[in-house]
């Protein structure tokens, strides 16, 4: 068996909150500033454009040749991806200035460069700004709904300090991910929304595992200082946290290098999300419990109350 982390570590993680909080605050402010200055490089899903679905009749489609041919038309952002079977391809071209006439010109040019032989044009659609606006709203609603559901669940499952800490740590990861998109100007599309929701799930799962161990530790040791108990809990889950992150990064690394151009921005966002999610679980979520005034005695008071209540029935 390979052991990346020994079982009996005793790192003083809480001492590092003196720099982890200022660092996170600086990164959050920087992300919001860059978002305000650069904005996001919205893809066709949000800006509108032309969708063309084709099917090749002489065997599997050559995605590289199709991407090169359509890209040579200089229509700006163009996405070409396999859609369903190897013979089906979905082509997306960003919205062109000039209204409906310009969009129809895109369709005519694409059909001209790809030809009519051995290709069936199964669907041609122009996605307007109205549809794009609806996608933007539903994407924002999806992320906010996920965060609200997290808040309610953890509040019900743990104490309110855990719920607020988990939501703040998750928002930290989401804002840093959006900041990464704003700085690098990666294509932000529906896959990016999926990546953010996946990061929310990954970060939350990591945080809940740490919080669950923290709660067990708080119940076991009644009189030790909170910072010391948090260090004990994090050290006990450190091996699991590191191994989960490393194995996830190995899988994402393979997708990033060998998965092709279509999912590269998605996998890069996921890789970034794993890093910030792991960092926030250890250096943000746990220290936030000190900031939120969680008291070890609080759990014992509630347990004693439950015991008395059960005994009086």
């Amino acid at each position: 068996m390979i052991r990346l982390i020994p079982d009996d570590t005793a790192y003083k993680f809480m001492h590092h909150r003196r720099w982890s909080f200022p660092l996170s605050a600086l990164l959050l402010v920087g992300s919001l500033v860059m978002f305000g200055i650069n904005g996001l490089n919205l893809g066709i899903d949000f800006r509108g454009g032309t969708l063309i679905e084709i099917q090749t009749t002489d065997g599997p489609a050559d995605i590289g040749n199709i991407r090169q041919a359509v890209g040579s038309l200089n229509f700006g952002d163009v996405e070409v991806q396999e859609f369903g079977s190897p013979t089906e391809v979905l082509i997306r071209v960003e919205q062109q200035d000039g209204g409906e006439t310009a969009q129809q010109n895109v369709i005519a040019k694409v059909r001209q460069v790809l030809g009519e032989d051995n290709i069936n044009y199964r669907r041609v659609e122009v996605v307007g700004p109205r549809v794009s606006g609806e996608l933007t709203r539903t994407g924002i609603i999806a992320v906010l709904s996920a965060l609200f559901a997290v808040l309610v669940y953890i509040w019900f499952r743990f104490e309110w300090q855990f719920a607020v800490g988990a939501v703040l740590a998750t928002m930290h990861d989401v804002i840093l991910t959006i900041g990464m998109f704003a700085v690098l100007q990666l294509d932000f599309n529906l896959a990016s929304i999926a990546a953010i929701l996946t990061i929310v799930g990954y970060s939350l799962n990591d945080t809940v595992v740490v919080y669950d161990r923290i709660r067990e530790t708080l119940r076991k040791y009644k009189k030790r200082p909170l910072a010391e108990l948090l260090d004990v809990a994090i050290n006990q889950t450190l091996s699991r946290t590191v191994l989960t992150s490393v194995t996830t990064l190995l899988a994402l690394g393979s997708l990033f290098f060998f998965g092709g151009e279509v999912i590269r921005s998605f996998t890069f966002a996921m890789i970034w999300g794993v890093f910030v999610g792991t960092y926030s679980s250890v250096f943000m979520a746990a220290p936030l419990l000190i900031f939120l005034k969680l008291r070890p005695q609080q759990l014992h008071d509630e347990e004693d109350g439950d015991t008395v209540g059960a005994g009086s029935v």
Side-chain angles (χ1 to χ4, degrees):
M1 294 291 291
I2 300 176
R3 286 195 178 277
L4 296 179
I5 304 294
D7 291 332
D8 54 350
T9 57
Y11 300 116
K12 304 294 183 184
F13 291 103
M14 293 306 104
H15 288 176
H16 298 297
R17 71 179 185 275
R18 295 185 178 88
W19 61 262
S20 64
F21 278 179
L23 175 63
S24 291
L26 183 64
L27 292 175
L28 288 172
V29 172
S31 296
L32 293 174
V33 169
M34 293 308 296
F35 175 73
I37 295 175
N38 291 344
L40 296 174
N41 180 22
L42 298 177
I44 295 170
D45 296 325
F46 296 102
R47 286 183 299 177
T50 304
L51 302 179
I52 303 175
E53 181 184 339
I54 65 173
Q55 181 182 40
T56 56
T57 59
D58 58 344
D62 190 333
I63 301 294
N65 283 341
I66 294 175
R67 182 178 289 117
Q68 184 177 9
V70 179
S72 66
L73 298 174
N74 296 321
F75 284 137
D77 186 16
V78 174
E79 297 178 7
V80 179
Q81 63 184 112
E82 189 176 296
F83 180 71
S85 69
T87 62
E88 296 172 322
V89 177
L90 188 64
I91 303 169
R92 304 182 184 188
V93 181
E94 73 173 19
Q95 191 170 27
Q96 306 296 305
D97 296 331
E100 181 66 22
T101 303
Q103 316 316 316
Q104 293 301 324
N105 182 54
V106 169
I107 297 171
K109 291 285 187 181
V110 171
R111 295 183 72 123
Q112 181 180 358
V113 76
L114 296 181
E116 301 288 340
D117 298 334
N118 303 321
I119 292 181
N120 289 331
Y121 292 86
R122 303 177 62 182
R123 179 164 60 115
V124 176
E125 295 179 359
V126 176
V127 180
R130 180 179 176 183
V131 176
S132 304
E134 290 177 359
L135 289 174
T136 303
R137 285 192 295 276
T138 53
I140 294 173
I141 290 173
V143 175
L144 293 180
S145 300
L147 289 175
F148 181 74
V150 167
L151 177 67
V152 172
Y153 170 74
I154 297 183
W155 201 316
F156 177 76
R157 182 72 175 78
F158 298 88
E159 284 68 32
W160 70 267
Q161 290 94 340
F162 290 93
V164 174
V167 169
L168 290 178
T170 306
M171 289 179 63
H172 166 275
D173 301 343
V174 171
I175 292 174
L176 290 191
T177 303
I178 291 175
M180 181 272 295
F181 273 101
V183 171
L184 300 180
Q185 287 294 290
L186 296 177
D187 190 32
F188 192 86
N189 49 31
L190 288 181
S192 305
I193 294 292
I196 290 177
L197 290 173
T198 308
I199 291 169
V200 168
Y202 179 89
S203 173
L204 181 64
N205 180 65
D206 216 28
T207 301
V208 167
V209 169
V210 174
Y211 274 2
D212 197 45
R213 184 56 60 93
I214 288 174
R215 191 173 61 164
E216 290 180 8
T217 308
L218 292 176
R219 286 173 172 168
K220 187 180 296 183
Y221 306 103
K222 299 181 180 179
K223 297 183 179 179
R224 295 173 67 175
L226 178 59
E228 189 177 322
L229 295 178
L230 295 177
D231 280 336
V232 171
I234 294 175
N235 277 289
Q236 289 177 349
T237 57
L238 189 61
S239 178
R240 177 262 174 207
T241 300
V242 172
L243 285 176
T244 301
S245 300
V246 170
T247 52
T248 305
L249 287 173
L250 287 175
L252 290 173
S254 299
L255 287 174
F256 181 79
F257 289 108
F258 306 112
E261 189 66 30
V262 175
I263 61 172
R264 186 152 294 166
S265 63
F266 171 82
T267 51
F268 185 79
M270 286 297 303
I271 290 171
W272 172 264
V274 170
F275 275 114
V276 297
T278 304
Y279 161 79
S280 68
S281 298
V282 176
F283 295 103
M284 288 296 297
L288 276 172
L289 297 177
I290 300 176
F291 179 76
L292 295 171
K293 309 295 184 187
L294 177 68
R295 295 180 298 107
Q297 192 62 33
Q298 183 177 339
L299 296 177
H300 301 295
D301 293 343
E302 293 178 1
E303 287 182 349
D304 292 342
D306 293 341
T307 303
V308 171
S312 62
V313 173

